[in-house]
Amino acid sequence: MNITVYLGANKGNNPRLQSAVQELGQWIGTSGNALVYGGSKSGLMGAIADSVLNAGGEVTGVEPQFFIDSEIQHDGLTKLIVTKDMTERKTKMIQLGDAFIAFPGGTGTLEEISEVMSKVSLKHLNAPCILYNLDGYYNGLKMLLDHMIENGLSSRERQEGIYFAESLEDIKRILESDREKENTETIYQS
C-alpha cells in the first residue's frame, strides 16, 4: 500500500521525533509498503525518505515547482512528481495514498491532514487517517474533535476513519484492522 505521510521540513526540538520518524520509515521500507511524502530533503521529511530508502523501500516525493527552484528536493527518490503549486501537490498526494499519517508537524502538516480528515468524514475517501500522537502532540486536536461532537457540529459516525496513534505499534494495528475490514466488505459485496 502507498502510505502518505505528512510531516515537517524542520527537525523540531524533541529528540524523539527523529528516532520515531526513522522507526516509521524503516517499517514502511521493510513491510512491502511504499512512502508518498512532500519530496523535501530537509528536516523530518528528509529523515523519513532516507529511512525508507535505506530499508529498501520505494519513495515517491510530490513537490511543487517553486521548491524545486529552491533546490530543496530529495534527489535520491524512487520517483519525484513536480506539481505547479501546493494545491495540486495536496491533490496528488491524496490520489496516490491508500492510508494517511500525520506525523507531528507545523501548519502545513495540519492543513494537509485536515483536508484528508474532511474527505474521510464526508465518505469521499475510504482510507484510514492517522494522527501520530507522539508524546501527546495531537491531544489538542483530539479534544477539539470531541468538542465538535459535544456541540452537535460533528458525530462519531462522521469521524469514523480518523484515528489517533500513540506509537508505531498502534499505527500497524490500525492499518491491519482497516485492511481486514476492507477484505470483509469485499467478500460481502461479491
Side-chain angles (χ1 to χ4, degrees):
M1 100 173 55
N2 285 335
I3 301 175
T4 298
V5 179
Y6 301 106
L7 67 174
N10 294 323
K11 287 188 176 185
N13 57 19
N14 178 348
R16 285 193 11 97
L17 292 174
Q18 185 76 15
S19 59
V21 83
Q22 289 170 336
E23 179 186 45
L24 177 60
Q26 168 79 19
W27 173 73
I28 291 171
T30 58
S31 65
N33 295 306
L35 172 68
V36 175
Y37 87 117
S40 178
K41 65 183 175 186
S42 61
L44 296 172
M45 291 175 78
I48 198 167
D50 289 340
S51 298
V52 174
L53 292 167
N54 291 338
E58 293 188 2
V59 178
T60 299
V62 183
E63 192 138 54
Q65 183 62 51
F66 68 88
F67 282 155
I68 301 294
D69 295 343
S70 300
E71 298 182 356
I72 63 169
Q73 78 276 2
H74 193 300
D75 291 324
L77 304 179
T78 311
K79 183 176 184 180
L80 179 64
I81 297 170
V82 180
T83 63
K84 67 179 183 203
D85 57 27
M86 294 295 277
T87 301
E88 187 179 303
R89 175 202 207 185
K90 284 191 304 178
T91 300
K92 184 52 111 175
M93 289 176 73
I94 291 171
Q95 287 171 348
L96 293 172
D98 300 307
F100 301 86
I101 299 172
F103 196 79
T107 54
T109 301
L110 181 61
E111 183 213 3
E112 290 168 324
I113 202 62
S114 292
E115 183 167 343
V116 173
M117 291 167 64
S118 179
K119 288 180 180 296
V120 167
S121 73
L122 293 170
K123 310 301 182 219
H124 292 171
L125 184 60
N126 184 19
C129 174
I130 303 168
L131 293 114
Y132 193 163
N133 197 28
L134 184 71
D135 295 340
Y137 190 81
Y138 285 111
N139 282 349
L141 182 56
K142 190 174 189 179
M143 287 173 52
L144 178 59
L145 291 175
D146 288 340
H147 189 65
M148 290 174 182
I149 293 169
E150 290 164 10
N151 282 276
L153 298 171
S154 186
S155 66
R156 293 272 172 235
E157 295 75 33
R158 287 282 254 198
Q159 293 183 19
E160 202 170 275
I162 300 169
Y163 305 95
F164 288 83
E166 308 296 322
S167 66
L168 178 56
E169 290 308 312
D170 285 351
I171 291 170
K172 292 178 192 178
R173 274 193 295 279
I174 292 164
L175 293 176
E176 185 59 36
S177 173
D178 190 73
R179 198 174 300 137
E180 288 171 7
K181 183 177 84 173
E182 195 173 282
N183 289 339
T184 303
E185 288 172 0
T186 302
I187 291 167
Y188 286 125
Q189 290 173 357
S190 298

